[in-house]
Amino acid sequence: MDMKCKTQHKDDGSTFYTACRCNCGGSYQCIIKANVKDGKVISVEPDDRYNYNCGREDAYMEEEDLQKVRIQRRPCVVGLTWHKYAQLPERILYPLKRKEGTERGAGEYERITWDEALDTIASKMIESREKYGPLSIISPYMPNETYERIMSYWGAGAEGWGWCSYDAARLMAQMITGGEGWEVQNWSSSSGADMLTHSKAIVLWGCDPTVGHQGPAHAFAWYIKLARERGKPVIIIDPRYSMAVRTLADQWIPIKPGTDVAIMMGMAYTLFEADTYDKKFIEKYVEPVGFQKFKDYIMGNGDDKTPKTPEWAAEKCGVPAETIRALAHFVWDNEPCWTYAHWSLSRKSQGEQVISTFAALQAMLGNWGKPGGGPAIHPGGQVQDLPMGYFSTTYSEPGPYKVPKLFRSHYWAQAVLLLDDYKSGKISAEEYMSSVGWRADKSLVDQFNPRFLFWGGGSKPHASNHLVTACDTASDQIKAINKMDFIITAHSIMTPTVRYADIILPVQDWIWEGSDVSRTAPYGVFEAVQGNPGVVEPPGETKQWVWIYVEICKRLGVDPKNFFRYYTGKRSWEEDWENGLREMYHDVEEYYKGRGKTIPTYDNFQNGEFLNCDELEDQPLTGFVPQMKENKPFKTPSGKIEFYYPLFEDESQRGKSEHYTFDGKLIDNLPADWKDMPSSPEYKVGRHGMDDPKSKEYPIMLLTSHSRYRVHYVHWINPWLRGHVYRHRVWINAVDAAKRGIKDNDKILVYNDRGKIIMPAYVTSRIMPGTALIHQGGNYEPDENGIDRGASPNTLLGGDKASNFTPARATNLVQIEKYEEANV
């Protein structure tokens, strides 16, 4: 192929390449070509460094080029409009302090100096530790690993555990394979190139790759389209008729949300019944006792004596038995079939069972680590031993103080509010800990006294807008916020959450305003290392996020080198930071040098040259390489894949502060009380789902899918992604709408016992009856009656304290009515 790879030239000072670093699922892979004038990004273009000036990229590409992902790293609409987001009037440019006498949430602030802001923060932290003890300083959702590192040296602080994305997978991957919950790159056969090259068919569960990118912009969806054009059939299982169904699928299978385990078990029954499953794989790689328990349960020889036939599954999931049976034969007959269960399946009650059942089904198909077989557990696909991460926080062991994990981070507000019930004697310590996802020593309950709220999401300059992203209603979070003595946040935009801070620290935008080196997020399906050279000067007095932590360290008496090892205190901050970037990139150079490969120099890299890791691999990446290719054992007691977890049957272990694998590794997504978690794959009716008794009162199951025009909440206020581009409406099935007298665009009231929102209706047949959809990330904008007119679906989430806390549970039950002032 005549590939033209255009590189950046800085001599005219007007054109720069930089990596898009949004947290979209394919983070850091897309390239933005920025045109700069008078210190401002005036326009952007897509990446043009591969296949330059080609009208249709694949027309000029050979098979090897596709396999090595020699494609333009084009950004999506979010990346192409990010410069407008960074230039919004709502941008925070200076340190701010809440005006004396004003209420939190009013958004009334006055400008202060950095010294005043940082000195105040440090003095308030010291005061809180002295008056209320070390467990008085906490962070909300999301966990803040950088705050945690400082606290480990300072000797105070408490923290939550768990994220929004795939904690159920992190937990079950550790139970099934023994690998730690963050070893994502080891779990999967997940590269889009692997799928295109080796698969005979594709089955996607709960996945819209035109929105959830998992690769440069829509490149993963493009690879699926290329596969389909080559005659590889595509099936999508989803309660929505999504854009992916419309543009990529040969067959759409609508399913009741939260019942995916049933269809998987119906497929497993079909394969067992026909004796068509990979017995050689099972014998070699799967621990036999657990697999026999799984088989007995499926075939009706378990405790419930119920065969999990396709007819049984059809009653649970709403998919016809003949469709389930045909799907099972389809994936077997089209081996290897690229089969992928997206995160959305496990972001509900009993999400752990989705992961374990899917992993068992993939084992029956022999798909673990098989080229073309799809993820065994979760998409990953990174170069496994590439020595690169957040160099400022991973270079050495943390300090001597172990920051305790006192609550599931989504339920940080419940940890604050329910504490009063425990201290007043309304609930016991055990009930309290069980309700908040406690994962620490019981004795700490009486020492827990949260008074100081330190922002979440510490390594992200846009932090966490937890009022709209924490999977718990904003009303409870605000109650918890108002119980705090002091709140600080670092952010770039005045969000609903930021408005409740006492001090706000302005941070640089990490795409445009600071230099950095970044690696593809571990759950992408393509691999790259990207540079951010710093396209424009930081506006106002915005600062780089690591600098902020270094300055806090200095004021707390913590050696800044414990946080940032390149800090000297002698050179300028910019020199120290640049030295860190060079050393980190040098490690990458040495890694590839050891493999006989040459990559661009650091200077050339930051000047626009590309580091495409897929191009440097001989074959597309697949998962479980040590086990499948080197015959090394899994990190389990048996050395094999395990589907039986005796820990969950051992009542002597319930309530202990931490749990460990047989070889001493912390099981880092398991709370002290795992509640109703079964010890092997099992179908359990999910709470707050369509079969919950509560559905009599709230008969519509609410889904909260991601929007094409936002990354979580980011870009909600971007004018280029509003108006005719995107209208925030609730999807409601035409049948459900007709019952309620609702027509398209009518204002409707959506409510439950967590909150109320008002928004327009999108009446459609693209979603199953009995379900509704509000895209995640809408602003929280309560009126004088507390009704959210933003409308954020988060307002309606939370409230389930009866089942295990691992899944984020981004769904709930609601009622919908046509809006009239009188009915609210």
Side-chain angles (χ1 to χ4, degrees):
M1 182 190 74
D2 181 19
M3 183 186 74
K4 300 177 181 178
C5 184
K6 188 174 182 179
T7 57
Q8 164 190 320
H9 299 284
K10 281 191 174 180
D11 52 357
D12 64 353
S14 63
T15 302
F16 301 84
Y17 291 93
T18 189
C20 183
R21 301 191 63 193
C22 65
N23 186 26
C24 66
S27 305
Y28 318 154
Q29 297 187 59
C30 299
I31 298 297
I32 303 172
K33 183 179 178 182
N35 299 306
V36 178
K37 184 176 182 181
D38 298 329
K40 183 178 180 180
V41 179
I42 58 171
S43 66
V44 297
E45 302 174 50
D47 179 30
D48 59 5
R49 295 178 302 172
Y50 275 116
N51 311 307
Y52 182 63
N53 205 27
C54 296
R56 204 190 93 198
E57 198 168 3
D58 61 307
Y60 299 87
M61 301 176 72
E62 297 176 359
E63 185 66 26
E64 181 184 0
D65 300 311
L66 286 168
Q67 190 178 93
K68 292 183 177 294
V69 199
R70 293 180 177 133
I71 60 173
Q72 294 177 6
R73 261 55 180 177
R74 297 183 181 95
C76 69
V77 293
V78 170
L80 290 172
T81 60
W82 199 292
H83 62 299
K84 291 296 180 182
Y85 186 77
Q87 297 167 5
L88 286 171
E90 292 83 356
R91 184 73 192 272
I92 302 168
L93 300 178
Y94 305 96
L96 301 174
K97 177 176 70 175
R98 180 165 59 91
K99 288 183 179 180
E100 196 74 31
T102 64
E103 292 186 2
R104 284 182 179 145
E108 297 185 41
Y109 289 91
E110 58 187 11
R111 179 178 170 181
I112 57 175
T113 66
W114 269 104
D115 281 338
E116 181 182 352
L118 293 166
D119 290 346
T120 302
I121 289 168
S123 66
K124 291 289 185 181
M125 290 175 71
I126 293 168
E127 178 185 339
S128 188
R129 184 175 68 171
E130 290 176 350
K131 288 179 66 175
Y132 303 112
L135 303 187
S136 63
I137 304 170
I138 67 169
S139 64
Y141 177 81
M142 303 172 295
N144 186 336
E145 73 281 3
T146 40
Y147 146 86
E148 188 175 337
R149 183 171 186 80
I150 291 177
M151 295 295 110
S152 75
Y153 283 95
W154 190 54
E159 175 74 311
W161 61 272
W163 298 74
C164 62
S165 49
Y166 52 100
D167 286 339
R170 290 190 184 110
L171 171 62
M172 298 315 297
Q174 197 164 3
M175 303 304 298
I176 295 168
T177 73
E180 293 181 85
W182 289 95
E183 292 182 1
V184 185
Q185 65 271 23
N186 295 322
W187 301 352
S188 308
S189 172
S190 61
S191 167
D194 168 52
M195 173 202 67
L196 179 65
T197 304
H198 297 120
S199 303
K200 291 182 181 178
I202 300 165
V203 176
L204 305 176
W205 245 291
C207 176
D208 183 347
T210 74
V211 175
H213 306 305
Q214 302 200 299
H218 305 304
F220 181 40
W222 184 57
Y223 267 63
I224 295 173
K225 186 174 185 294
L226 290 177
R228 189 175 180 226
E229 289 173 353
R230 296 179 179 195
K232 301 181 182 186
V234 178
I235 297 174
I236 298 181
I237 306 166
D238 196 316
R240 305 166 300 156
Y241 187 84
S242 66
M243 188 58 68
V245 173
R246 181 177 179 179
T247 58
L248 301 176
D250 295 280
Q251 182 180 1
W252 174 43
I253 301 177
I255 185 173
K256 286 171 58 178
T259 63
D260 305 277
V261 169
I263 191 173
M264 293 173 187
M265 289 185 167
M267 292 171 66
Y269 181 94
T270 302
L271 295 176
F272 280 133
E273 182 183 47
D275 202 30
T276 52
Y277 62 98
D278 195 332
K279 300 182 186 66
K280 289 184 179 179
F281 182 91
I282 297 297
E283 182 179 357
K284 183 174 182 180
Y285 293 111
V286 180
E287 188 275 319
V289 173
F291 186 74
Q292 188 62 47
K293 282 180 175 288
F294 173 71
K295 184 176 181 180
D296 287 343
Y297 180 76
I298 296 297
M299 302 308 292
N301 300 318
D303 292 341
D304 67 351
K305 305 299 180 185
T306 302
K308 308 306 180 293
T309 64
E311 287 73 20
W312 167 88
E315 291 183 3
K316 308 292 184 186
C317 67
V319 178
E322 56 268 28
T323 301
I324 298 172
R325 192 170 279 109
L327 183 61
H329 291 305
F330 175 85
V331 297
W332 178 257
D333 293 341
N334 286 280
E335 183 273 332
C337 180
W338 207 88
T339 311
Y340 173 27
H342 193 253
W343 306 343
S344 65
L345 275 63
S346 59
R347 285 176 174 163
K348 305 174 183 67
S349 171
Q350 307 301 339
E352 304 88 355
Q353 301 317 302
V354 174
I355 304 301
S356 57
T357 305
F358 180 72
L361 182 61
Q362 286 288 71
M364 293 178 68
L365 297 170
N367 276 348
W368 283 60
K370 177 191 290 185
I377 295 176
H378 186 278
Q382 284 193 312
V383 179
Q384 295 191 25
D385 50 355
L386 186 64
M388 185 178 174
Y390 282 124
F391 65 92
S392 60
T393 58
T394 58
Y395 77 98
S396 67
E397 294 298 316
Y401 175 78
K402 186 175 181 180
V403 178
K405 308 289 187 178
L406 301 188
F407 46 85
R408 175 69 159 109
S409 68
H410 287 290
Y411 276 34
W412 77 271
Q414 308 307 319
V416 172
L417 299 175
L418 291 174
L419 197 58
D420 288 341
D421 287 347
Y422 162 62
K423 291 181 176 180
S424 66
K426 289 182 180 179
I427 59 175
S428 67
E430 289 71 21
E431 289 173 314
Y432 171 74
M433 291 186 291
S434 179
S435 296
V436 301
W438 196 266
R439 216 189 75 188
D441 192 281
K442 292 180 180 179
S443 66
L444 297 181
V445 175
D446 292 322
Q447 301 174 40
F448 187 37
N449 191 5
R451 297 297 188 110
F452 188 111
L453 196 64
F454 195 110
W455 75 85
S459 62
K460 297 177 176 62
H462 298 98
S464 170
N465 186 7
H466 52 81
L467 288 184
V468 301
T469 60
C471 293
D472 191 26
T473 183
S475 60
D476 277 2
Q477 292 190 68
I478 291 169
K479 291 175 187 175
I481 282 171
N482 286 328
K483 293 178 75 67
M484 298 293 111
D485 290 343
F486 205 76
I487 300 170
I488 59 169
T489 193
H491 218 288
S492 61
I493 294 289
M494 188 66 73
T495 70
T497 305
V498 169
R499 293 167 66 89
Y500 283 86
D502 295 304
I503 283 185
I504 304 170
L505 306 178
V507 291
Q508 296 173 10
D509 189 283
W510 58 358
I511 295 178
W512 311 108
E513 297 160 7
S515 60
D516 211 341
V517 175
S518 53
R519 179 185 181 182
T520 302
Y523 34 77
V525 296
F526 303 101
E527 174 73 294
V529 176
Q530 306 281 30
N532 293 86
V535 173
V536 296
E537 288 297 315
E541 294 180 6
T542 58
K543 298 291 185 180
Q544 204 263 5
W545 66 274
V546 178
W547 179 90
I548 295 173
Y549 282 98
V550 165
E551 291 298 315
I552 291 175
C553 282
K554 289 159 65 174
R555 286 163 171 79
L556 293 176
V558 174
D559 185 348
K561 284 190 175 183
N562 288 331
F563 179 75
F564 178 54
R565 64 171 167 166
Y566 303 103
Y567 177 78
T568 63
K570 300 175 182 178
R571 301 179 300 198
S572 70
W573 165 257
E574 288 75 18
E575 289 178 298
D576 285 344
W577 179 252
E578 185 68 16
N579 184 50
L581 295 183
R582 286 183 178 275
E583 286 200 28
M584 181 168 65
Y585 190 78
H586 175 73
D587 291 342
V588 179
E589 287 182 293
E590 290 298 304
Y591 168 80
Y592 279 113
K593 183 179 179 181
R595 298 177 61 193
K597 300 178 186 295
T598 301
I599 66 173
T601 65
Y602 176 77
D603 288 333
N604 288 345
F605 169 77
Q606 285 289 36
N607 279 326
E609 289 195 22
F610 188 61
L611 180 49
N612 174 3
C613 300
D614 291 303
E615 188 173 32
L616 300 173
E617 299 299 315
D618 296 327
Q619 293 290 330
L621 297 165
T622 57
F624 300 101
V625 171
Q627 294 82 12
M628 302 304 165
K629 295 183 180 178
E630 302 168 12
N631 291 317
K632 293 182 179 179
F634 286 86
K635 302 172 186 178
T636 59
S638 68
K640 294 187 175 186
I641 300 164
E642 297 189 350
F643 295 114
Y644 170 51
Y645 331 114
L647 170 64
F648 299 148
E649 293 180 349
D650 187 353
E651 287 302 314
S652 68
Q653 293 293 314
R654 193 186 295 270
K656 286 190 175 181
S657 58
E658 293 178 341
H659 298 92
Y660 294 86
T661 59
F662 80 103
D663 57 349
K665 292 188 178 67
L666 176 68
I667 305 175
D668 63 1
N669 283 281
L670 183 67
D673 181 3
W674 53 83
K675 300 188 178 179
D676 57 351
M677 187 96 71
S679 60
S680 57
E682 184 178 319
Y683 180 80
K684 298 179 73 67
V685 174
R687 286 178 55 80
H688 293 186
M690 296 177 76
D691 296 318
D692 189 316
K694 200 172 182 179
S695 62
K696 294 179 181 178
E697 184 177 3
Y698 302 111
I700 302 292
M701 186 173 181
L702 176 67
L703 308 178
T704 61
S705 303
H706 288 273
S707 169
R708 184 180 308 279
Y709 303 104
R710 290 191 297 278
V711 179
H712 299 290
Y713 72 92
V714 179
H715 291 278
W716 170 261
I717 58 174
N718 189 335
W720 281 25
L721 299 179
R722 297 291 298 269
H724 69 281
V725 177
Y726 169 74
R727 295 186 61 208
H728 195 48
R729 298 190 290 173
V730 56
W731 290 33
I732 180 172
N733 182 271
V735 173
D736 295 323
K739 289 179 182 178
R740 294 163 172 79
I742 294 170
K743 297 180 181 178
D744 198 45
N745 283 325
D746 281 352
K747 273 192 177 180
I748 60 174
L749 176 70
V750 187
Y751 67 94
N752 59 16
D753 55 355
R754 305 298 288 162
K756 298 178 179 180
I757 66 177
I758 294 172
M759 63 191 307
Y762 170 46
V763 178
T764 178
S765 296
R766 292 176 57 192
I767 191 166
M768 289 184 65
T771 64
L773 166 65
I774 303 175
H775 287 103
Q776 185 239 21
N779 239 25
Y780 175 64
E781 299 173 5
D783 64 14
E784 63 278 6
N785 297 313
I787 300 173
D788 181 9
R789 294 176 181 263
S792 166
N794 206 59
T795 300
L796 305 167
L797 299 183
D800 176 14
K801 303 182 184 70
S803 56
N804 184 47
F805 272 76
T806 311
R809 286 180 297 208
T811 60
N812 209 344
L813 292 170
V814 298
Q815 179 59 283
I816 296 178
E817 298 175 2
K818 189 171 181 178
Y819 171 69
E820 298 175 6
E821 290 292 342
N823 68 3
V824 297

